[in-house]
Amino acid sequence: MHAVTVLISRQVKPGCEAEFERVMDQIIATAATFKGYLGAHLVRPGDEQGVNDSLHHVVMAFDSDAGLEAWQNSPARALGLAAAAPFIEGQALIRHVSGLAHWFQPRGEPRQAPPPRWKVAVVTWLGIFPTVFVLFLLLGDLLAPWPLWLRILVITLLVVGLMTWVVAPQLTRWCKPWLYPDSK
């Protein structure tokens, strides 16, 4: 069994952003009550600096395909989607991603088959080890008096952020010939 993430992208009608976001917050809160729910996040246009994107994106993760399927087939989700319908235009763009492979999908290029899991694991470790090491060097003494749970919270938030927006994209560029040997 492995975690599965779904990315749903929607075009919101101009002037309806606040209503759409309110409904999405309710949908996410409802999804959180489902077995296997791991988390969700609404990404608004402009949240990612330097990305010109007019779509709202919802990233939602479950612990298994079965957990995601139970949510997707639920009456609660259908009610939420019906409540959001007046605020959106066009069809939803839905992408399923398993594991960490989405970190290593080159941006701005046609979607390729994900690299083998063992390669993703190697490159992930190559990113996480030095990131954690540097964070501990820089913040270890500062965080030492803090409670353990708070130190872990800060370090993991920083690691995830750095991996998502700095380290993994750079590693993807450097390791592209090895991750995607068939790409030109």
Short mmCIF file of all heavy atoms in Angstrom, two decimals, residues 114-177:
data_model
loop_
_atom_site.label_atom_id
_atom_site.label_comp_id
_atom_site.label_asym_id
_atom_site.label_seq_id
_atom_site.Cartn_x
_atom_site.Cartn_y
_atom_site.Cartn_z
N PRO A 114 6.87 8.27 -14.91
CA PRO A 114 7.77 8.52 -13.78
C PRO A 114 8.96 7.57 -13.81
O PRO A 114 8.86 6.45 -14.31
CB PRO A 114 6.89 8.26 -12.56
CG PRO A 114 5.73 7.48 -13.04
CD PRO A 114 5.57 7.78 -14.50
N PRO A 115 10.08 8.04 -13.27
CA PRO A 115 11.25 7.16 -13.20
C PRO A 115 10.98 6.01 -12.22
O PRO A 115 10.05 6.09 -11.41
CB PRO A 115 12.36 8.07 -12.68
CG PRO A 115 11.68 9.24 -12.09
CD PRO A 115 10.32 9.35 -12.70
N PRO A 116 11.79 4.96 -12.27
CA PRO A 116 11.60 3.86 -11.32
C PRO A 116 11.70 4.36 -9.87
O PRO A 116 12.44 5.30 -9.58
CB PRO A 116 12.76 2.90 -11.63
CG PRO A 116 13.27 3.32 -12.97
CD PRO A 116 12.91 4.74 -13.17
N ARG A 117 10.96 3.71 -9.00
CA ARG A 117 10.92 4.15 -7.59
C ARG A 117 12.30 4.17 -6.95
O ARG A 117 12.58 5.03 -6.13
CB ARG A 117 9.99 3.25 -6.78
CG ARG A 117 8.56 3.55 -7.01
CD ARG A 117 7.70 2.74 -6.08
NE ARG A 117 6.31 3.09 -6.33
CZ ARG A 117 5.35 2.91 -5.47
NH1 ARG A 117 5.61 2.37 -4.31
NH2 ARG A 117 4.12 3.25 -5.77
N TRP A 118 13.16 3.22 -7.30
CA TRP A 118 14.47 3.20 -6.67
C TRP A 118 15.28 4.43 -7.06
O TRP A 118 16.03 4.97 -6.24
CB TRP A 118 15.21 1.89 -6.97
CG TRP A 118 15.69 1.74 -8.39
CD1 TRP A 118 15.01 1.18 -9.43
CD2 TRP A 118 16.94 2.16 -8.92
NE1 TRP A 118 15.75 1.22 -10.57
CE2 TRP A 118 16.96 1.82 -10.30
CE3 TRP A 118 18.06 2.77 -8.38
CZ2 TRP A 118 18.04 2.08 -11.12
CZ3 TRP A 118 19.14 3.03 -9.21
CH2 TRP A 118 19.12 2.70 -10.56
N LYS A 119 15.10 4.93 -8.30
CA LYS A 119 15.80 6.16 -8.70
C LYS A 119 15.22 7.37 -7.96
O LYS A 119 15.96 8.26 -7.55
CB LYS A 119 15.69 6.37 -10.22
CG LYS A 119 16.57 5.44 -11.02
CD LYS A 119 16.53 5.80 -12.49
CE LYS A 119 17.46 4.92 -13.29
NZ LYS A 119 17.49 5.31 -14.73
N VAL A 120 13.90 7.39 -7.81
CA VAL A 120 13.27 8.49 -7.05
C VAL A 120 13.79 8.46 -5.62
O VAL A 120 14.10 9.51 -5.05
CB VAL A 120 11.73 8.38 -7.10
CG1 VAL A 120 11.08 9.37 -6.14
CG2 VAL A 120 11.22 8.58 -8.52
N ALA A 121 13.91 7.28 -5.03
CA ALA A 121 14.40 7.15 -3.65
C ALA A 121 15.84 7.66 -3.54
O ALA A 121 16.17 8.40 -2.60
CB ALA A 121 14.31 5.70 -3.18
N VAL A 122 16.68 7.31 -4.50
CA VAL A 122 18.09 7.75 -4.46
C VAL A 122 18.17 9.28 -4.56
O VAL A 122 18.85 9.95 -3.78
CB VAL A 122 18.91 7.08 -5.59
CG1 VAL A 122 20.28 7.74 -5.75
CG2 VAL A 122 19.07 5.59 -5.32
N VAL A 123 17.46 9.85 -5.54
CA VAL A 123 17.52 11.30 -5.73
C VAL A 123 16.86 12.02 -4.55
O VAL A 123 17.33 13.08 -4.13
CB VAL A 123 16.90 11.70 -7.09
CG1 VAL A 123 16.88 13.21 -7.26
CG2 VAL A 123 17.68 11.07 -8.24
N THR A 124 15.79 11.46 -4.00
CA THR A 124 15.16 12.06 -2.82
C THR A 124 16.15 12.10 -1.67
O THR A 124 16.30 13.12 -0.99
CB THR A 124 13.89 11.27 -2.42
OG1 THR A 124 12.97 11.28 -3.51
CG2 THR A 124 13.23 11.87 -1.19
N TRP A 125 16.85 10.99 -1.43
CA TRP A 125 17.84 10.97 -0.37
C TRP A 125 18.96 11.97 -0.64
O TRP A 125 19.40 12.68 0.27
CB TRP A 125 18.43 9.55 -0.21
CG TRP A 125 19.46 9.52 0.88
CD1 TRP A 125 19.25 9.38 2.21
CD2 TRP A 125 20.87 9.69 0.71
NE1 TRP A 125 20.44 9.44 2.88
CE2 TRP A 125 21.45 9.62 1.99
CE3 TRP A 125 21.70 9.86 -0.40
CZ2 TRP A 125 22.82 9.73 2.19
CZ3 TRP A 125 23.06 9.98 -0.20
CH2 TRP A 125 23.61 9.92 1.09
N LEU A 126 19.38 12.06 -1.91
CA LEU A 126 20.43 13.03 -2.27
C LEU A 126 19.99 14.47 -1.98
O LEU A 126 20.83 15.34 -1.76
CB LEU A 126 20.81 12.90 -3.75
CG LEU A 126 21.64 11.69 -4.13
CD1 LEU A 126 21.75 11.57 -5.65
CD2 LEU A 126 23.01 11.75 -3.48
N GLY A 127 18.69 14.72 -1.99
CA GLY A 127 18.20 16.04 -1.65
C GLY A 127 17.95 16.23 -0.17
O GLY A 127 18.31 17.26 0.41
N ILE A 128 17.38 15.22 0.47
CA ILE A 128 16.99 15.36 1.87
C ILE A 128 18.20 15.36 2.80
O ILE A 128 18.27 16.18 3.73
CB ILE A 128 15.97 14.28 2.28
CG1 ILE A 128 14.63 14.59 1.60
CG2 ILE A 128 15.79 14.20 3.79
CD1 ILE A 128 13.55 13.57 1.85
N PHE A 129 19.17 14.48 2.57
CA PHE A 129 20.30 14.39 3.48
C PHE A 129 21.04 15.73 3.62
O PHE A 129 21.20 16.24 4.73
CB PHE A 129 21.28 13.27 3.08
CG PHE A 129 22.52 13.26 3.91
CD1 PHE A 129 22.50 12.74 5.19
CD2 PHE A 129 23.70 13.80 3.44
CE1 PHE A 129 23.64 12.74 5.99
CE2 PHE A 129 24.85 13.81 4.22
CZ PHE A 129 24.82 13.28 5.50
N PRO A 130 21.50 16.33 2.52
CA PRO A 130 22.21 17.61 2.71
C PRO A 130 21.30 18.73 3.21
O PRO A 130 21.75 19.61 3.95
CB PRO A 130 22.77 17.93 1.32
CG PRO A 130 22.10 17.03 0.37
CD PRO A 130 21.54 15.88 1.14
N THR A 131 20.02 18.70 2.84
CA THR A 131 19.09 19.73 3.31
C THR A 131 18.93 19.66 4.83
O THR A 131 19.05 20.67 5.53
CB THR A 131 17.72 19.58 2.62
OG1 THR A 131 17.91 19.67 1.20
CG2 THR A 131 16.75 20.66 3.07
N VAL A 132 18.70 18.46 5.35
CA VAL A 132 18.57 18.28 6.79
C VAL A 132 19.88 18.62 7.49
O VAL A 132 19.91 19.31 8.52
CB VAL A 132 18.11 16.85 7.13
CG1 VAL A 132 18.18 16.58 8.63
CG2 VAL A 132 16.69 16.61 6.62
N PHE A 133 21.01 18.19 6.92
CA PHE A 133 22.32 18.45 7.50
C PHE A 133 22.56 19.95 7.64
O PHE A 133 22.94 20.45 8.71
CB PHE A 133 23.41 17.80 6.64
CG PHE A 133 24.80 17.95 7.19
CD1 PHE A 133 25.23 17.17 8.25
CD2 PHE A 133 25.67 18.88 6.64
CE1 PHE A 133 26.51 17.32 8.76
CE2 PHE A 133 26.94 19.03 7.13
CZ PHE A 133 27.37 18.25 8.20
N VAL A 134 22.32 20.70 6.56
CA VAL A 134 22.54 22.15 6.58
C VAL A 134 21.58 22.82 7.56
O VAL A 134 21.99 23.72 8.31
CB VAL A 134 22.41 22.75 5.16
CG1 VAL A 134 22.34 24.26 5.20
CG2 VAL A 134 23.56 22.29 4.29
N LEU A 135 20.33 22.39 7.58
CA LEU A 135 19.38 22.99 8.53
C LEU A 135 19.80 22.75 9.97
O LEU A 135 19.68 23.65 10.81
CB LEU A 135 17.97 22.45 8.28
CG LEU A 135 17.27 22.98 7.03
CD1 LEU A 135 15.96 22.24 6.78
CD2 LEU A 135 17.03 24.48 7.12
N PHE A 136 20.29 21.56 10.27
CA PHE A 136 20.76 21.30 11.63
C PHE A 136 22.00 22.12 11.95
O PHE A 136 22.15 22.61 13.07
CB PHE A 136 21.01 19.80 11.86
CG PHE A 136 19.80 19.08 12.34
CD1 PHE A 136 19.07 18.28 11.47
CD2 PHE A 136 19.36 19.19 13.65
CE1 PHE A 136 17.93 17.61 11.90
CE2 PHE A 136 18.22 18.53 14.09
CZ PHE A 136 17.51 17.74 13.21
N LEU A 137 22.89 22.29 10.98
CA LEU A 137 24.07 23.14 11.22
C LEU A 137 23.66 24.58 11.50
O LEU A 137 24.20 25.24 12.38
CB LEU A 137 25.01 23.11 10.02
CG LEU A 137 25.87 21.87 9.84
CD1 LEU A 137 26.70 21.98 8.56
CD2 LEU A 137 26.80 21.67 11.04
N LEU A 138 22.70 25.07 10.72
CA LEU A 138 22.29 26.47 10.85
C LEU A 138 21.37 26.71 12.05
O LEU A 138 21.45 27.76 12.69
CB LEU A 138 21.57 26.92 9.57
CG LEU A 138 22.41 26.97 8.30
CD1 LEU A 138 21.53 27.30 7.10
CD2 LEU A 138 23.53 27.99 8.43
N LEU A 139 20.49 25.77 12.33
CA LEU A 139 19.45 26.00 13.33
C LEU A 139 19.55 25.13 14.58
O LEU A 139 18.79 25.33 15.52
CB LEU A 139 18.07 25.78 12.70
CG LEU A 139 17.74 26.64 11.47
CD1 LEU A 139 16.40 26.23 10.88
CD2 LEU A 139 17.72 28.11 11.85
N GLY A 140 20.47 24.16 14.58
CA GLY A 140 20.55 23.21 15.69
C GLY A 140 20.66 23.86 17.05
O GLY A 140 19.90 23.54 17.97
N ASP A 141 21.61 24.78 17.22
CA ASP A 141 21.81 25.43 18.52
C ASP A 141 20.61 26.31 18.89
O ASP A 141 20.22 26.36 20.05
CB ASP A 141 23.08 26.28 18.50
CG ASP A 141 24.34 25.42 18.41
OD1 ASP A 141 24.28 24.23 18.77
OD2 ASP A 141 25.38 25.95 17.97
N LEU A 142 20.04 26.99 17.89
CA LEU A 142 18.89 27.84 18.14
C LEU A 142 17.67 27.03 18.59
O LEU A 142 16.94 27.44 19.50
CB LEU A 142 18.54 28.63 16.87
CG LEU A 142 17.30 29.50 16.91
CD1 LEU A 142 17.51 30.70 17.84
CD2 LEU A 142 16.93 29.97 15.52
N LEU A 143 17.47 25.88 17.96
CA LEU A 143 16.30 25.06 18.27
C LEU A 143 16.49 24.12 19.45
O LEU A 143 15.52 23.56 19.96
CB LEU A 143 15.90 24.24 17.04
CG LEU A 143 15.52 25.01 15.77
CD1 LEU A 143 15.17 24.05 14.65
CD2 LEU A 143 14.37 25.96 16.03
N ALA A 144 17.73 23.93 19.89
CA ALA A 144 18.02 22.94 20.95
C ALA A 144 17.16 23.10 22.20
O ALA A 144 16.70 22.09 22.75
CB ALA A 144 19.51 22.98 21.31
N PRO A 145 16.90 24.32 22.68
CA PRO A 145 16.07 24.43 23.90
C PRO A 145 14.58 24.18 23.67
O PRO A 145 13.83 24.04 24.62
CB PRO A 145 16.29 25.87 24.37
CG PRO A 145 17.16 26.55 23.39
CD PRO A 145 17.49 25.59 22.31
N TRP A 146 14.15 24.14 22.45
CA TRP A 146 12.72 23.96 22.13
C TRP A 146 12.29 22.52 22.41
O TRP A 146 13.11 21.59 22.34
CB TRP A 146 12.46 24.28 20.67
CG TRP A 146 12.68 25.71 20.26
CD1 TRP A 146 13.35 26.68 20.95
CD2 TRP A 146 12.25 26.31 19.05
NE1 TRP A 146 13.35 27.84 20.24
CE2 TRP A 146 12.68 27.65 19.07
CE3 TRP A 146 11.54 25.86 17.95
CZ2 TRP A 146 12.41 28.54 18.04
CZ3 TRP A 146 11.27 26.74 16.92
CH2 TRP A 146 11.70 28.07 16.97
N PRO A 147 11.01 22.30 22.65
CA PRO A 147 10.51 20.92 22.81
C PRO A 147 10.75 20.12 21.51
O PRO A 147 10.71 20.69 20.41
CB PRO A 147 9.01 21.09 23.06
CG PRO A 147 8.83 22.53 23.45
CD PRO A 147 9.96 23.29 22.84
N LEU A 148 10.96 18.84 21.66
CA LEU A 148 11.27 17.99 20.51
C LEU A 148 10.23 18.10 19.41
O LEU A 148 10.56 18.24 18.23
CB LEU A 148 11.41 16.53 20.96
CG LEU A 148 11.71 15.52 19.84
CD1 LEU A 148 13.03 15.85 19.16
CD2 LEU A 148 11.72 14.11 20.40
N TRP A 149 8.94 18.05 19.75
CA TRP A 149 7.89 18.10 18.73
C TRP A 149 7.96 19.40 17.93
O TRP A 149 7.72 19.41 16.73
CB TRP A 149 6.50 17.90 19.34
CG TRP A 149 6.02 19.08 20.17
CD1 TRP A 149 6.18 19.27 21.51
CD2 TRP A 149 5.32 20.23 19.69
NE1 TRP A 149 5.63 20.46 21.89
CE2 TRP A 149 5.09 21.07 20.80
CE3 TRP A 149 4.87 20.63 18.44
CZ2 TRP A 149 4.44 22.29 20.69
CZ3 TRP A 149 4.20 21.84 18.34
CH2 TRP A 149 3.99 22.66 19.46
N LEU A 150 8.32 20.50 18.57
CA LEU A 150 8.40 21.78 17.89
C LEU A 150 9.63 21.84 16.97
O LEU A 150 9.57 22.38 15.86
CB LEU A 150 8.41 22.93 18.90
CG LEU A 150 8.22 24.33 18.38
CD1 LEU A 150 6.96 24.45 17.53
CD2 LEU A 150 8.17 25.32 19.54
N ARG A 151 10.74 21.27 17.43
CA ARG A 151 11.94 21.20 16.57
C ARG A 151 11.66 20.38 15.32
O ARG A 151 12.02 20.78 14.21
CB ARG A 151 13.11 20.58 17.34
CG ARG A 151 13.71 21.51 18.37
CD ARG A 151 14.89 20.87 19.06
NE ARG A 151 14.35 19.96 20.07
CZ ARG A 151 15.05 19.06 20.74
NH1 ARG A 151 16.33 18.89 20.49
NH2 ARG A 151 14.48 18.31 21.64
N ILE A 152 11.00 19.24 15.51
CA ILE A 152 10.66 18.37 14.38
C ILE A 152 9.71 19.10 13.43
O ILE A 152 9.87 19.04 12.21
CB ILE A 152 10.08 17.03 14.86
CG1 ILE A 152 11.15 16.22 15.58
CG2 ILE A 152 9.49 16.24 13.70
CD1 ILE A 152 10.64 14.99 16.30
N LEU A 153 8.73 19.78 13.98
CA LEU A 153 7.78 20.54 13.17
C LEU A 153 8.50 21.57 12.30
O LEU A 153 8.29 21.63 11.08
CB LEU A 153 6.75 21.24 14.06
CG LEU A 153 5.78 22.16 13.32
CD1 LEU A 153 4.64 21.34 12.75
CD2 LEU A 153 5.25 23.22 14.25
N VAL A 154 9.37 22.37 12.89
CA VAL A 154 10.09 23.41 12.14
C VAL A 154 11.00 22.80 11.08
O VAL A 154 10.99 23.21 9.91
CB VAL A 154 10.89 24.31 13.11
CG1 VAL A 154 11.84 25.23 12.35
CG2 VAL A 154 9.94 25.13 13.96
N ILE A 155 11.78 21.80 11.45
CA ILE A 155 12.72 21.19 10.50
C ILE A 155 11.97 20.53 9.35
O ILE A 155 12.33 20.72 8.18
CB ILE A 155 13.64 20.17 11.21
CG1 ILE A 155 14.59 20.89 12.17
CG2 ILE A 155 14.41 19.32 10.21
CD1 ILE A 155 15.62 21.79 11.51
N THR A 156 10.90 19.78 9.63
CA THR A 156 10.19 19.11 8.54
C THR A 156 9.48 20.12 7.63
O THR A 156 9.43 19.92 6.42
CB THR A 156 9.19 18.06 9.06
OG1 THR A 156 8.28 18.67 9.99
CG2 THR A 156 9.92 16.90 9.72
N LEU A 157 8.93 21.18 8.19
CA LEU A 157 8.33 22.22 7.34
C LEU A 157 9.38 22.83 6.41
O LEU A 157 9.12 23.03 5.21
CB LEU A 157 7.70 23.33 8.20
CG LEU A 157 6.34 23.03 8.81
CD1 LEU A 157 5.94 24.12 9.80
CD2 LEU A 157 5.29 22.89 7.73
N LEU A 158 10.54 23.12 6.94
CA LEU A 158 11.61 23.69 6.12
C LEU A 158 12.11 22.70 5.07
O LEU A 158 12.34 23.08 3.91
CB LEU A 158 12.77 24.16 7.01
CG LEU A 158 12.47 25.39 7.88
CD1 LEU A 158 13.60 25.61 8.88
CD2 LEU A 158 12.25 26.62 7.02
N VAL A 159 12.25 21.44 5.45
CA VAL A 159 12.71 20.43 4.50
C VAL A 159 11.72 20.27 3.35
O VAL A 159 12.10 20.26 2.18
CB VAL A 159 12.98 19.07 5.19
CG1 VAL A 159 13.18 17.95 4.18
CG2 VAL A 159 14.19 19.17 6.10
N VAL A 160 10.44 20.15 3.67
CA VAL A 160 9.42 19.98 2.62
C VAL A 160 9.40 21.20 1.70
O VAL A 160 9.37 21.07 0.47
CB VAL A 160 8.03 19.71 3.23
CG1 VAL A 160 6.95 19.79 2.19
CG2 VAL A 160 8.02 18.34 3.91
N GLY A 161 9.41 22.39 2.27
CA GLY A 161 9.42 23.59 1.45
C GLY A 161 10.64 23.68 0.56
O GLY A 161 10.54 23.96 -0.65
N LEU A 162 11.81 23.45 1.13
CA LEU A 162 13.05 23.51 0.34
C LEU A 162 13.09 22.42 -0.73
O LEU A 162 13.50 22.67 -1.87
CB LEU A 162 14.27 23.40 1.26
CG LEU A 162 14.55 24.64 2.10
CD1 LEU A 162 15.59 24.34 3.18
CD2 LEU A 162 15.02 25.80 1.22
N MET A 163 12.65 21.21 -0.38
CA MET A 163 12.64 20.13 -1.37
C MET A 163 11.68 20.45 -2.51
O MET A 163 12.00 20.22 -3.67
CB MET A 163 12.25 18.80 -0.72
CG MET A 163 13.35 18.14 0.07
SD MET A 163 14.76 17.61 -0.93
CE MET A 163 14.03 16.36 -1.96
N THR A 164 10.51 20.98 -2.19
CA THR A 164 9.50 21.22 -3.21
C THR A 164 9.89 22.34 -4.16
O THR A 164 9.73 22.20 -5.38
CB THR A 164 8.14 21.55 -2.54
OG1 THR A 164 7.77 20.44 -1.72
CG2 THR A 164 7.06 21.80 -3.58
N TRP A 165 10.41 23.44 -3.64
CA TRP A 165 10.62 24.61 -4.49
C TRP A 165 12.08 24.90 -4.83
O TRP A 165 12.33 25.72 -5.72
CB TRP A 165 9.99 25.84 -3.85
CG TRP A 165 8.50 25.78 -3.94
CD1 TRP A 165 7.75 25.95 -5.07
CD2 TRP A 165 7.57 25.51 -2.90
NE1 TRP A 165 6.42 25.80 -4.79
CE2 TRP A 165 6.28 25.53 -3.45
CE3 TRP A 165 7.71 25.25 -1.54
CZ2 TRP A 165 5.13 25.30 -2.71
CZ3 TRP A 165 6.56 25.03 -0.80
CH2 TRP A 165 5.30 25.05 -1.38
N VAL A 166 13.02 24.26 -4.17
CA VAL A 166 14.43 24.56 -4.45
C VAL A 166 15.22 23.31 -4.83
O VAL A 166 15.74 23.21 -5.94
CB VAL A 166 15.09 25.25 -3.22
CG1 VAL A 166 16.55 25.55 -3.50
CG2 VAL A 166 14.34 26.53 -2.84
N VAL A 167 15.30 22.37 -3.92
CA VAL A 167 16.21 21.24 -4.08
C VAL A 167 15.75 20.27 -5.16
O VAL A 167 16.52 19.94 -6.08
CB VAL A 167 16.40 20.51 -2.72
CG1 VAL A 167 17.29 19.29 -2.88
CG2 VAL A 167 16.97 21.48 -1.69
N ALA A 168 14.51 19.77 -5.09
CA ALA A 168 14.04 18.78 -6.06
C ALA A 168 14.05 19.32 -7.49
O ALA A 168 14.50 18.61 -8.40
CB ALA A 168 12.68 18.23 -5.69
N PRO A 169 13.59 20.56 -7.74
CA PRO A 169 13.68 21.05 -9.13
C PRO A 169 15.12 21.11 -9.64
O PRO A 169 15.39 20.78 -10.80
CB PRO A 169 13.06 22.45 -9.05
CG PRO A 169 12.13 22.40 -7.88
CD PRO A 169 12.80 21.48 -6.90
N GLN A 170 16.06 21.50 -8.78
CA GLN A 170 17.46 21.55 -9.20
C GLN A 170 18.01 20.14 -9.43
O GLN A 170 18.70 19.89 -10.43
CB GLN A 170 18.30 22.29 -8.15
CG GLN A 170 19.72 22.54 -8.58
CD GLN A 170 19.79 23.43 -9.82
OE1 GLN A 170 19.13 24.44 -9.91
NE2 GLN A 170 20.59 23.04 -10.79
N LEU A 171 17.70 19.23 -8.52
CA LEU A 171 18.16 17.85 -8.70
C LEU A 171 17.56 17.23 -9.96
O LEU A 171 18.22 16.44 -10.64
CB LEU A 171 17.79 17.00 -7.48
CG LEU A 171 18.69 17.15 -6.26
CD1 LEU A 171 18.12 16.39 -5.08
CD2 LEU A 171 20.10 16.68 -6.56
N THR A 172 16.33 17.58 -10.26
CA THR A 172 15.69 17.07 -11.48
C THR A 172 16.46 17.51 -12.72
O THR A 172 16.69 16.73 -13.63
CB THR A 172 14.23 17.55 -11.57
OG1 THR A 172 13.54 17.07 -10.42
CG2 THR A 172 13.54 17.01 -12.82
N ARG A 173 16.86 18.78 -12.73
CA ARG A 173 17.65 19.27 -13.88
C ARG A 173 18.99 18.54 -13.97
O ARG A 173 19.41 18.11 -15.03
CB ARG A 173 17.88 20.78 -13.76
CG ARG A 173 16.67 21.59 -14.16
CD ARG A 173 16.98 23.07 -14.27
NE ARG A 173 17.18 23.73 -13.00
CZ ARG A 173 16.21 24.12 -12.18
NH1 ARG A 173 14.95 23.90 -12.52
NH2 ARG A 173 16.47 24.72 -11.05
N TRP A 174 19.67 18.41 -12.84
CA TRP A 174 20.98 17.77 -12.83
C TRP A 174 20.91 16.28 -13.17
O TRP A 174 21.79 15.75 -13.84
CB TRP A 174 21.66 17.93 -11.47
CG TRP A 174 22.08 19.33 -11.14
CD1 TRP A 174 22.25 20.38 -12.00
CD2 TRP A 174 22.37 19.83 -9.84
NE1 TRP A 174 22.61 21.51 -11.32
CE2 TRP A 174 22.71 21.20 -9.97
CE3 TRP A 174 22.38 19.28 -8.58
CZ2 TRP A 174 23.06 22.01 -8.90
CZ3 TRP A 174 22.73 20.08 -7.50
CH2 TRP A 174 23.07 21.43 -7.67
N CYS A 175 19.88 15.61 -12.67
CA CYS A 175 19.79 14.15 -12.81
C CYS A 175 18.87 13.72 -13.95
O CYS A 175 18.61 12.52 -14.11
CB CYS A 175 19.31 13.53 -11.50
SG CYS A 175 20.41 13.80 -10.11
N LYS A 176 18.37 14.66 -14.74
CA LYS A 176 17.40 14.33 -15.79
C LYS A 176 17.88 13.20 -16.72
O LYS A 176 17.12 12.28 -17.00
CB LYS A 176 17.04 15.57 -16.60
CG LYS A 176 15.97 15.29 -17.63
CD LYS A 176 15.62 16.54 -18.41
CE LYS A 176 14.61 16.18 -19.48
NZ LYS A 176 14.36 17.27 -20.38
N PRO A 177 19.13 13.24 -17.20
CA PRO A 177 19.55 12.14 -18.11
C PRO A 177 19.49 10.77 -17.44
O PRO A 177 19.24 9.76 -18.09
CB PRO A 177 20.99 12.50 -18.47
CG PRO A 177 21.08 13.98 -18.23
CD PRO A 177 20.15 14.27 -17.09
#
